[in-house]
Amino acid sequence: MAASPGYTPEQKTEEARLRREVLELSTTVSTHPYWSTLETGTTVDARMALKHVHDGDSPLADVDGDGPSRQGV
């Protein structure tokens, strides 16, 4: 972590915790077995769609309430 005169010890500790959590979650998502179920050449498009699931216009959006769709991916 870069030195900052404005960070308290508690803030430094929280930033370090959050960085560890982001790294752990990123690893969990990127190594999930789901990615190996995709057809060759569609992984990048699927990952880009995942970034926009919350927008509601992603092909992976859960429009029918039964889990993520792979339609169009």
Side-chain angles (χ1 to χ4, degrees), residues 6-45:
Y7 277 27
T8 65
E10 293 83 14
Q11 290 171 324
K12 289 178 184 178
T13 300
E14 180 66 2
E15 182 185 15
R17 183 193 69 78
L18 290 170
R19 286 180 182 270
R20 283 191 309 272
E21 184 176 358
V22 166
L23 179 60
E24 179 183 337
L25 292 172
S26 298
T27 301
T28 299
V29 169
S30 64
T31 61
H32 192 278
Y34 167 76
W35 302 114
S36 66
T37 68
L38 299 175
E39 294 179 28
T40 302
T42 63
T43 305
V44 172
D45 289 338

Side-chain angles (χ1 to χ4, degrees), residues 42-58:
T42 63
T43 305
V44 172
D45 289 338
R47 287 186 179 179
M48 294 302 291
L50 181 62
K51 291 181 180 183
H52 298 284
V53 166
H54 65 280
D55 297 340
D57 60 355
S58 164

